[in-house]
């Protein structure tokens, strides 16, 4: 039995019933009713309570009750009256627990004894009605901002109806931890809220109110936090409380599904610390690269794209036995051009024009990978197959792109394709180095969680890349063994390369594919007809000054329109871009040396400016 899962209504968009329905639909067992969601709703608390019961949702908590403890009179008395009215609401909602967050008022008295006496009084009144009070330290509380301070007060108050509420954000945002929690009796741990966040240097209140994330989307050690809470004996619900501007604006079911996915993953990460063990998720796949990328095309686009790829040394290497599908190959890179009517590819083409519609990852065990995906709320996808043809399992990424799961080392081509004899000779790519996707604003965190959870990829911190027409935020997911690298780009501006791609083609998708070359200069030299992106002279002047390159090396880079980057350990990255194919996606030739593990972010501005110029022509 996994931990009971709850979500605060503040995480989700829409009116209160929409939030509740979405939470129930994806499989939450409980909800925190956030006060503002009730105040702004035109139904009674009884109706809300009934709706929750009809949906099978427990109301885990009613919150927050603000600025209560340690106030001077006459506020003190008024606050106790206010509490009685909230107790009425709780009873109507059908919950027995209220969250009191630590007082933020300048008038709060700096006296823990007063805070304890007030909370004791509130708990005494609550207990008369069979209700309970939980006390949470807000990271920006006036007198109480750490969980240990809140616990001191709860301990002093010493009332059975008063306990402690922990919230990972308030503790981890302060760089604090849960050392000492084992000394708190488990029955005093009333409730647990979890939130992740990116590491940002800003005031903690704004950080909390706008940038919280679901566990696994950010950079805080939420799993460690949860493990500590469970080891301290907590056995109540685990509840997500995320204040996030993008989540509030997004379709409610998508965010609810991300929310539950984050908790399913977390359940698995803390297995062993849970008193009643959760059934383990199937292990994340061991990845061994990208077997192919598939483009949705029609006949004309297939010819045009085939011609474009031909300039980089690709050739038609196979024709599907039963479908209008062609394999283009260059060394270790397979690109599939799919113009089959009445397929997922055709559906993509109808909507977007020429676009990537699928990608295939090599995994150690496709069935296990599929079972893991299913457990993480990503159902399998079954494409129509002809008789005698291979059935390659697939799931759909959040934007609908198919992700095929190909067993590492297996040959998926020989059965289904009539393979054409190759020429060879030209410098060859060794494989696909990375695939970059452009996402619509508001989609980054959901994609990060999907790839992290389903495929066990690691997420790097966000990079900000300056396009001439706005900022592109980029976050890369990659396999620990680096056989799969998936940078994700997002831009609020519709004028950036990323923004134009997303807005012009009505959605997210693969924006560029980088091919790994053992020698990028040789590859580009052997591809004189490839429409490479021109790089301004100023770039090379700066490069010479910045990295102290020799004249000959610099000239060679410039001749082939190559960009160059170097890391602190001396790893080197040499890369060049093609112009965009039909103003859509483009390709990159990349050479990594000496353990270089980045993507040439230092060069992104130059590339994006060159593309913007190209676009104007
Ligand atoms: O931002 C707030 O005010 C707020 C309110 C209630 C909470 O539980 C919390 O963590 C933060
Ligand atoms: Mg909280």
């Amino acid at each position: 039995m996994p931990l009971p899962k709850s979500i605060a209504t503040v995480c989700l968009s829409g009116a209160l019933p929409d939030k509740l329905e979405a939470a129930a639909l994806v499989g939450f067992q409980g909800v925190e009713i956030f006060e503002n969601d009730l105040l702004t709703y035109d139904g009674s608390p009884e109706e809300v309570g009934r709706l929750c019961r009809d949906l099978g949702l427990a109301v885990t908590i009613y919150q927050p009750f603000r600025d209560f403890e340690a106030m001077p009179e006459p506020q003190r008395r008024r606050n106790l009256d206010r509490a009685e009215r909230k107790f009425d609401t709780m009873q109507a909602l059908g919950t027995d627990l209220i969250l009191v967050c630590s007082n933020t008022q300048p008038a709060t008295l700096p006296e823990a004894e007063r805070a304890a006496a007030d909370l004791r009084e509130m708990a005494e009144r609550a207990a008369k009605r069979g209700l309970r009070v939980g006390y949470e330290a807000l990271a920006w509380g006036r007198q109480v901002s750490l969980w240990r301070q809140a616990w001191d007060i709860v301990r002093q108050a010493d009332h059975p109806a008063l306990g402690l509420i922990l919230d990972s954000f308030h503790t981890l945002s302060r760089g604090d931890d849960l050392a000492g929690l084992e000394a708190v009796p488990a029955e005093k741990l009333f409730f647990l809220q979890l939130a992740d966040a990116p590491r940002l240097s800003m005031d903690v209140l704004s950080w909390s109110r706008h940038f919280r994330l679901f566990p696994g989307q950010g950079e805080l050690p939420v799993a460690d936090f949860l493990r500590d809470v469970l080891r301290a004996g907590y056995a109540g619900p685990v509840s997500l409380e995320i204040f996030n501007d993008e989540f509030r604006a997004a379709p409610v079911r998508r965010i609810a599904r991300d929310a539950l996915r984050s908790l399913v993953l977390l359940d698995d990460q803390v297995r062993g610390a849970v008193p009643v063990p959760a059934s383990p998720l199937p292990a994340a796949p061991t990845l061994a690269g990208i077997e192919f990328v598939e483009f949705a095309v029609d006949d004309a686009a297939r010819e045009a794209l085939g011609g474009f790829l031909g300039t980089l040394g690709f050739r038609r290497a196979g024709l599907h036995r039963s479908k209008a599908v062609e394999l283009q190959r260059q060394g270790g890179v397979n690109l599939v051009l799919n113009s089959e009517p009445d397929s997922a590819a055709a559906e993509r083409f109808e909507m977007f024009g020429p676009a990537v519609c699928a990608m295939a990852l090599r995994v150690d065990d496709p069935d296990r990978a599929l079972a893991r995906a299913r457990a993480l709320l990503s159902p399998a996808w079954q494409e129509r197959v002809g008789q005698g043809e291979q059935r390659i399992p697939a799931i759909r990424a959040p934007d609908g792109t198919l992700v095929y799961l190909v067993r590492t080392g297996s040959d998926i081509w020989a059965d289904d394709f009539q393979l054409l004899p190759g020429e060879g000779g030209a410098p060859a790519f060794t494989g696909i180095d990375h695939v970059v996707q452009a996402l619509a604003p508001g989609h980054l965190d959901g994609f990060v969680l999907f790839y992290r959870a389903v495929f066990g990829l690691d997420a790097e911190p966000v990079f900000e890349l300056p396009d001439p027409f706005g900022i592109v935020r980029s976050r890369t997911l990659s396999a620990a063994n680096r056989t799969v690298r998936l940078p994700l780009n997002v831009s609020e501006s519709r004028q950036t390369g990323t923004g134009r791609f997303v807005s012009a083609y009505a959605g997210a998708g693969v924006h560029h594919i980088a091919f790994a070359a053992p020698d990028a200069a040789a590859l580009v030299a052997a591809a004189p007809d490839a429409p490479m992106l021109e790089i301004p002279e100023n770039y090379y002047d700066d490069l010479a000054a910045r990295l102290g390159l020799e004249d000959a090396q610099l000239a060679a880079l410039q001749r082939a329109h190559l960009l160059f980057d170097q890391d602190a350990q001396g790893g080197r990255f040499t890369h060049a871009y093609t112009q965009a194919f039909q103003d859509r996606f483009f390709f990159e030739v990349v050479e990594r040396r000496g353990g270089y593990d980045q993507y040439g972010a230092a060069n992104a501005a130059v590339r994006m400016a060159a593309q913007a110029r190209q676009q104007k022509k």
Side-chain angles (χ1 to χ4, degrees):
M1 243 291 282
L3 298 161
K5 294 176 176 60
S6 161
I7 183 167
T9 54
V10 70
C11 304
L12 302 170
S13 70
L16 189 50
D18 304 330
K19 298 171 187 249
L20 300 175
E21 276 160 21
L25 179 86
V26 304
F28 278 95
Q29 286 108 31
V31 283
E32 298 183 28
I33 301 289
F34 209 74
E35 183 173 64
N36 201 52
D37 288 320
L38 182 65
L39 300 187
T40 55
Y41 178 59
D42 63 356
S44 68
E46 285 82 1
E47 280 164 13
V48 173
R50 201 172 314 121
L51 181 54
C52 288
R53 280 191 297 283
D54 289 349
L55 290 167
L57 290 170
V59 178
T60 51
I61 197 164
Y62 180 53
Q63 77 129 332
F65 191 67
R66 296 184 190 277
D67 301 330
F68 168 73
E69 78 284 16
M71 289 300 264
E73 293 292 1
Q75 267 97 343
R76 178 176 178 276
R77 186 127 308 280
R78 263 192 238 135
N79 278 347
L80 284 164
D81 295 343
R82 192 156 61 90
E84 293 285 356
R85 287 202 298 281
K86 296 300 166 190
F87 295 159
D88 298 339
T89 307
M90 290 165 67
Q91 288 180 312
L93 286 172
T95 181
D96 74 336
L97 186 57
I98 189 166
L99 177 150
V100 175
C101 53
S102 60
N103 201 326
T104 61
Q105 292 300 311
T108 322
L109 303 170
E111 294 162 25
E113 315 79 64
R114 271 295 309 278
D118 292 348
L119 284 163
R120 188 186 163 83
E121 172 71 25
M122 183 172 170
E124 181 60 29
R125 293 178 182 216
K128 289 207 175 96
R129 307 203 203 187
L131 304 178
R132 299 178 303 145
V133 177
Y135 186 46
E136 174 197 47
L138 293 181
W140 55 92
R142 186 81 185 184
Q143 304 293 345
V144 172
S145 59
L146 298 170
W147 74 265
R148 287 182 201 82
Q149 298 171 312
W151 166 238
D152 273 344
I153 290 169
V154 168
R155 192 168 41 79
Q156 269 188 59
D158 190 26
H159 194 286
L162 180 67
L164 185 64
I165 292 182
L166 295 168
D167 177 325
S168 62
F169 181 86
H170 295 298
T171 298
L172 300 175
S173 64
R174 301 276 309 252
D176 193 14
D177 58 30
L178 293 175
L181 189 70
E182 30 339 308
V184 178
E187 69 274 11
K188 282 292 180 189
L189 299 175
F190 274 15
F191 202 67
L192 172 63
Q193 297 176 318
L194 293 180
D196 199 347
R199 292 200 183 277
L200 301 173
S201 46
M202 67 192 314
D203 73 280
V204 69
L205 171 62
S206 309
W207 186 16
S208 177
R209 291 266 172 92
H210 303 284
F211 299 100
R212 287 191 183 202
L213 292 171
F214 294 126
Q217 293 180 328
E219 299 171 88
L220 302 181
V222 181
D224 294 343
F225 183 94
L226 174 57
R227 215 172 280 121
D228 287 346
V229 178
L230 297 172
R231 290 210 176 108
Y234 178 76
V238 171
S239 194
L240 296 168
E241 188 201 32
I242 315 299
F243 307 87
N244 180 298
D245 295 356
E246 288 184 346
F247 296 179
R248 284 170 189 269
V252 63
R253 288 186 184 181
R254 167 153 68 77
I255 300 300
R257 185 162 289 114
D258 285 352
L260 192 66
R261 177 177 287 144
S262 80
L263 284 186
V264 173
L265 181 64
L266 205 56
D267 244 356
D268 193 58
Q269 288 169 337
V270 301
R271 217 179 337 122
V274 187
V276 204
S279 55
L281 278 180
T286 300
L287 297 171
I290 297 175
E291 177 70 16
F292 66 84
V293 173
E294 178 174 329
F295 291 84
V297 289
D298 63 0
D299 290 347
R302 186 189 58 239
E303 291 310 306
L305 183 54
F308 192 99
L309 291 167
T311 66
L312 287 170
F314 281 83
R315 62 180 182 83
R316 183 186 288 168
L319 292 172
H320 197 280
R321 294 183 195 280
S322 71
K323 296 179 187 169
V325 175
E326 166 179 316
L327 168 64
Q328 286 276 343
R329 185 173 271 168
Q330 208 285 33
V333 177
N334 299 310
L335 299 180
V336 171
L337 276 48
N338 188 338
S339 54
E340 173 73 2
D342 191 25
S343 64
E347 185 189 305
R348 252 301 150 106
F349 186 83
E350 289 295 317
M351 286 210 296
F352 300 94
V356 167
C357 58
M359 143 173 97
L361 301 181
R362 298 186 194 111
V363 300
D364 56 335
D365 182 344
D367 295 326
R368 196 187 77 227
L370 203 61
R372 179 178 175 90
R374 211 177 273 133
L376 285 159
L377 319 178
S378 297
W381 170 263
Q382 188 55 66
E383 185 72 328
R384 197 164 42 80
V385 286
Q387 256 203 339
E389 288 169 8
Q390 295 205 17
R391 190 177 284 273
I392 307 177
I395 57 174
R396 299 194 93 165
D399 65 335
T401 298
L402 288 181
V403 183
Y404 285 105
L405 306 165
V406 174
R407 188 181 300 278
T408 303
S410 66
D411 182 344
I412 58 164
W413 306 106
D415 286 353
D416 296 5
F417 282 77
Q418 182 196 344
L419 295 173
L420 308 172
E423 299 105 66
F429 293 123
T430 50
I432 293 175
D433 183 88
H434 60 277
V435 173
V436 180
Q437 301 176 65
L439 310 182
H443 286 256
L444 182 59
D445 301 310
F447 270 70
V448 166
L449 182 62
F450 168 79
Y451 285 114
R452 244 184 178 179
V454 173
F455 293 105
L457 301 186
D458 301 323
E460 287 175 28
V462 171
F463 270 89
E464 290 185 346
L465 311 173
D467 182 286
F469 297 102
I471 291 292
V472 175
R473 290 194 304 131
S474 182
R475 194 165 187 202
T476 295
L477 292 144
S478 50
N481 63 16
R482 295 298 188 265
T483 57
V484 172
R485 301 169 180 264
L486 303 174
L488 303 172
N489 290 352
V490 65
S491 178
E492 299 292 333
S493 161
R494 290 168 68 117
Q495 264 63 260
T496 58
T498 297
R500 265 190 292 118
F501 180 79
V502 170
S503 59
Y505 306 113
V510 170
H511 195 199
H512 101 247
I513 304 174
F515 305 129
D519 183 339
L523 203 135
V524 175
D529 298 329
M532 303 311 288
L533 190 67
E534 297 197 9
I535 304 301
E537 183 126 9
N538 292 341
Y539 170 77
Y540 296 98
D541 290 345
D542 173 67
L543 200 58
R546 197 155 44 93
L547 299 177
L549 301 188
E550 291 176 13
D551 288 352
Q553 194 187 354
L554 205 62
L557 290 173
Q558 189 161 8
R559 218 172 17 248
H561 310 289
L562 287 160
L563 300 160
F564 184 77
D565 190 28
Q566 200 165 292
D567 65 23
Q569 290 73 42
R572 285 171 295 151
F573 190 56
T574 310
H575 58 143
Y577 296 90
T578 70
Q579 295 173 19
F581 172 76
Q582 295 183 355
D583 192 32
R584 289 165 177 271
F585 42 79
F586 55 99
F587 302 97
E588 182 182 3
V589 176
V590 313
E591 171 191 334
R592 294 178 186 274
R593 298 247 170 188
Y596 183 94
D597 197 27
Q598 299 294 307
Y599 303 84
N603 298 326
V606 175
R607 185 255 299 170
M608 292 190 291
Q611 287 174 322
R613 263 195 306 280
Q614 194 73 48
Q615 151 83 11
K616 287 235 170 76
K617 277 186 185 163

